[in-house]
Amino acid sequence: MSPRSAPPWDPEAVPTFWINHASRLLMRHFEQRLRPLEFGMAYLPVAIALEEQGPLLQKQLAEYAHVEQPTMAALLTRMERDGLIQREPHPDDKRATRISLSAKGRGRLPQAKAQLAQVAEQATAGFSERERATFMSLLHRVVANLDSTAG
């Protein structure tokens, strides 16, 4: 008897292919919508943290966004270049700098959120409320399954 060869793998037959494909399309649409506002997807965790909590230190922002300090430093440099944040000396620690949203950042953030909501609506167009809830539930389970195995 000769060993049977495995059937060819069809990536389109597994849900992970479609999750990845949808994610890439979403990111492309998000970036296209945010670019005219001088925003990027990477800016959002920082901008939202500053909007909700007020001025923060770079270390706090790195923790909030779940990124390393050098990554946050580069991100803040870009956001400052784009006029979305401002830095000011910490009143109690002369070595520290507090970061806050600039007037431009505060003005653009609601527009950025609105653009993201429009893309999310486009992505789920035609879904009933029940389908949206089921979809969300299933995606949460996928994330939980993967988070629990990351160790």
Side-chain angles (χ1 to χ4, degrees):
M1 264 183 140
S2 66
R4 297 171 84 188
S5 62
W9 183 61
D10 178 9
E12 293 183 20
V14 294
T16 50
F17 171 86
W18 294 106
I19 291 169
N20 182 54
H21 189 60
S23 175
R24 293 167 72 108
L25 286 170
L26 284 168
M27 290 304 289
R28 185 179 316 143
H29 282 269
F30 287 153
E31 291 292 348
Q32 286 173 348
R33 295 287 192 96
L34 294 176
R35 194 173 301 119
L37 301 173
E38 296 179 82
F39 254 80
M41 283 298 291
Y43 293 4
L44 284 170
V46 171
I48 289 169
L50 295 173
E51 176 188 48
E52 292 175 354
Q53 300 177 29
L56 295 170
L57 303 175
Q58 177 178 311
K59 179 181 179 183
Q60 293 170 307
L61 288 167
E63 290 169 1
Y64 184 85
H66 305 288
V67 298
E68 298 296 323
Q69 287 272 9
T71 302
M72 182 54 65
L75 180 62
L76 292 174
T77 297
R78 289 195 314 271
M79 290 181 77
E80 186 174 34
R81 175 203 67 207
D82 293 341
L84 301 172
I85 62 163
Q86 54 197 24
R87 300 174 196 249
E88 57 193 35
H90 192 286
D92 302 326
D93 183 351
K94 298 303 176 201
R95 298 170 298 161
T97 302
R98 293 186 339 165
I99 295 131
S100 60
L101 280 176
S102 67
K104 179 180 177 180
R106 283 189 306 278
R108 299 275 171 96
L109 185 55
Q111 297 170 46
K113 289 178 180 178
Q115 291 299 317
L116 296 179
Q118 287 177 10
V119 171
E121 186 62 34
Q122 178 185 356
T124 57
F127 285 30
S128 69
E129 286 305 312
R130 186 175 184 171
E131 287 171 326
R132 287 176 195 233
T134 300
F135 187 57
M136 287 287 295
S137 175
L138 293 171
L139 288 173
H140 281 267
R141 282 174 49 194
V142 168
V143 169
N145 288 343
L146 294 173
D147 274 350
S148 69
T149 60

